Amino acid sequence: MADTVEFELVAPEELLFSEPVELVVVPGAEGDFGVLPGHSPLISTLRTGVIAVYENDAVNRRIFVSGGFAEVTPERCTVLADEAVALETADRASIEERVKADREAVDAADEADKDNAVSALAVSEALLAALDTAGQA
Amino acid sequence: MPSLKDLRIRIDSVKSTQKITSAMKMVAAAKLRRAQEQAEAARPYSERMNRMLGSLAEGLPTGAGGPALLAGNGNDNVHLLVVMTSDRGLCGGFNSSIVRGSIGIIRRLLDDGKEVKVLCVGRKGRDILRRDFRSLILDTFEEIGRKSLSFADATTVGNRILSMFEADEFDVCTIIYNRFQSAMTQIVTPQQLIPFRATDSHSSEGEDNTVEAEQSEGPKAVYEFEPDEQEILEDLLPRNLSVQLFHALLENAASEQGARMTAMDNATRNAGEMIDNLTITYNRTRQAFITKELIEIISGAEAL
């Protein structure tokens, strides 16, 4: 059996990531799950969280996703992300900017848009938090 | 016969028009390339979405009982048409061919006694459709993808359609857009979104076939679902709606630029021909004036 699994991360606007990895941990809706080669076939929804890609038993890359779907087969792990941000290259200042803009949007939103604005804020705050945790690790 | 001055003014005016059209052509060419790149980049997502949806649909009991977005709500009375056009003109037959296609569909549905509602994306389509079907148009989305088309734009339209579907305002939803084939040809394509028909919209895109082939080679995997299938489908189907819309919007954007490029190329060439013809007329007229003056001088001298 191959000792890598083909990991693909796709956002609506582009293919972000496609290469063989040893282990990838995905934030499933009902708990994180790790995908090693030979994983049993699985389709899951994702919650807001961080995808961790492992290489040589250490986290090599962290990617924030705001939600989406994952399809796992023994050879392959495909993540369809609603939005994905690589934490290594993310720019902290612009994310803080975004949190601020979203906060203002929540305050300004009327009843109809309130829910959307609140969930947008939750996503950007989670992104900021993820960035902080990744920075410490 | 027009005077020399008139001709000169005319030539100058055609020349400046030609400058504008050739500039627009180059802008359209640059935008076309960007639109094509974007469409290319967005393809993997919709492909994989299709694959996942395929795996999910296999596991579901066929026929009624599935989610309404997939199986429909059992009725076929109220049709929603989403007509995708551009906000700006000067792009040849781009808008009129979509509108012509839509009018054909609207007439047919009305003849069959169905109720039709129209949602316009883009101002141009609304302007034309409003003449005949003012009462059918519900709303218009403008400035979609004015700067650059993002997935959020598609979601905006998608959410509107979903909320209407949930409110039982229509039974069948079809989008009409121009599929990009080349800068010269765009194909008016109606595509039914609700209830969702497994796509044939990609059949012309070669890459898709390889994915399918790859899939059918392997043993049919039995998937686990987390949470259960129904819940995933409930998440996935609205998402898929936006993805299909996004795909259509991208195709449409590329088509618009392609059509504009071709139209402006033609316009530039026509302007060139016109300038040539006018220049010939101008030179002939000038020559005629000179000859006339000479004759006048000579006959004046002879008369002495």
Side-chain angles (χ1 to χ4, degrees):
Chain A
M1 188 185 290
D3 55 357
T4 56
V5 53
E6 192 69 29
F7 174 58
E8 283 179 327
L9 178 64
V10 205
E13 273 136 23
E14 61 192 326
L15 180 69
L16 290 171
F17 195 92
S18 175
E19 51 188 75
V21 299
E22 288 168 12
L23 165 66
V24 50
V25 177
V26 181
E30 295 179 349
D32 289 9
F33 57 87
V35 179
L36 283 162
H39 194 286
S40 65
L42 168 78
I43 292 181
S44 170
T45 51
L46 303 185
R47 61 185 161 75
T48 307
V50 176
I51 295 178
V53 179
Y54 284 75
E55 205 163 302
N56 299 327
D57 292 333
V59 178
N60 181 28
R61 231 187 268 231
R62 288 175 199 274
I63 304 141
F64 172 84
V65 288
S66 64
F69 307 92
E71 182 197 22
V72 182
T73 66
E75 310 84 33
R76 194 175 58 215
C77 173
T78 309
V79 173
L80 299 179
D82 297 349
E83 191 204 339
V85 180
L87 291 179
E88 279 81 10
T89 54
D91 171 23
R92 197 190 154 93
S94 69
I95 292 167
E96 275 170 358
E97 196 75 6
R98 188 174 139 186
V99 172
K100 214 173 119 206
D102 284 345
R103 264 201 199 113
E104 279 159 16
V106 169
D107 290 338
D110 51 29
E111 273 318 304
D113 296 333
K114 198 90 183 170
D115 286 350
N116 286 338
V118 168
S119 53
L121 175 63
V123 167
S124 51
E125 276 179 344
L127 173 55
L128 194 62
L131 195 64
D132 288 342
T133 347
Q136 286 155 14
Chain B
M1 189 179 282
S3 75
L4 281 180
K5 197 182 171 211
D6 288 342
L7 278 171
R8 229 173 10 239
I9 293 174
R10 190 80 203 283
I11 291 175
D12 283 347
S13 120
V14 177
K15 265 189 189 156
S16 57
T17 309
Q18 189 188 29
K19 267 185 204 141
I20 297 173
T21 56
S22 76
M24 278 183 81
K25 180 193 147 192
M26 280 186 274
V27 171
K31 283 192 178 163
L32 170 64
R33 205 177 47 238
R34 210 160 348 134
Q36 272 179 308
E37 274 166 17
Q38 219 188 345
E40 200 70 36
R43 197 167 292 160
Y45 194 84
S46 68
E47 265 171 25
R48 285 168 181 80
M49 179 67 89
N50 276 330
R51 192 170 64 195
M52 206 183 276
L53 209 59
S55 331
L56 273 167
E58 264 171 40
L60 274 185
T62 47
L69 282 175
L70 198 62
N73 57 8
N75 295 326
D76 180 32
N77 295 324
V78 186
H79 286 248
L80 177 76
L81 285 180
V82 183
V83 181
M84 295 184 167
T85 53
S86 66
D87 276 334
R88 281 183 274 178
L90 286 180
C91 42
F94 174 79
N95 288 315
S96 51
S97 58
I98 298 189
V99 170
R100 208 173 326 120
S102 321
I103 289 178
I105 295 177
I106 294 175
R107 288 252 152 83
R108 212 183 51 231
L109 288 171
L110 287 177
D111 286 347
D112 289 350
K114 314 276 188 207
E115 196 183 326
V116 181
K117 292 177 178 177
V118 179
L119 203 60
C120 291
V121 177
R123 213 172 41 196
K124 286 287 158 190
R126 182 203 58 184
D127 290 350
I128 314 177
L129 280 176
R130 203 150 58 165
R131 273 181 232 150
D132 289 343
F133 303 105
R134 181 165 213 138
S135 56
L136 303 181
I137 297 179
L138 297 176
D139 203 359
T140 311
F141 291 95
E142 283 178 35
E143 313 259 301
I144 289 276
R146 173 89 188 258
K147 284 186 195 116
S148 74
L149 199 60
S150 77
F151 190 67
D153 292 328
T155 323
T156 318
V157 183
N159 287 344
R160 177 67 198 268
I161 295 176
L162 279 177
S163 63
M164 284 176 64
F165 186 67
E166 275 155 21
D168 263 340
E169 286 179 45
F170 65 89
D171 303 319
V172 179
C173 172
T174 311
I175 54 173
I176 303 171
Y177 65 100
N178 262 326
R179 203 172 71 214
F180 182 83
Q181 197 170 42
S182 72
M184 303 287 281
T185 29
Q186 297 87 32
I187 304 164
V188 178
T189 315
Q191 187 189 348
Q192 184 173 321
L193 287 187
I194 302 174
F196 183 69
R197 293 226 178 107
T199 80
D200 46 6
S201 68
H202 300 285
S203 51
S204 63
E205 295 160 16
E207 221 186 318
D208 219 41
N209 300 334
T210 54
V211 172
E212 273 161 17
E214 203 180 285
Q215 198 188 11
S216 55
E217 272 169 26
K220 277 272 174 284
V222 181
Y223 285 91
E224 281 172 43
F225 296 98
E226 189 182 315
D228 59 41
E229 280 163 89
Q230 291 292 342
E231 265 175 74
I232 295 180
L233 266 179
E234 268 159 36
D235 269 357
L236 195 66
L237 285 170
R239 191 101 198 125
N240 182 53
L241 182 74
S242 302
V243 170
Q244 298 298 335
L245 280 170
F246 188 51
H247 174 78
L249 284 170
L250 286 172
E251 289 272 335
N252 220 29
S255 300
E256 180 194 339
Q257 299 306 340
R260 178 167 292 129
M261 194 178 91
T262 319
M264 288 303 119
D265 190 40
N266 281 336
T268 310
R269 210 172 355 209
N270 287 344
E273 267 169 35
M274 204 160 164
I275 290 172
D276 287 350
N277 286 336
L278 283 171
T279 315
I280 288 175
T281 322
Y282 176 79
N283 287 339
R284 286 218 179 113
T285 317
R286 193 174 53 107
Q287 197 63 54
F289 272 120
I290 294 169
T291 317
K292 208 172 94 194
E293 276 168 25
L294 272 177
I295 291 172
E296 273 165 15
I297 293 169
I298 293 167
S299 42
E302 267 175 8
L304 280 177

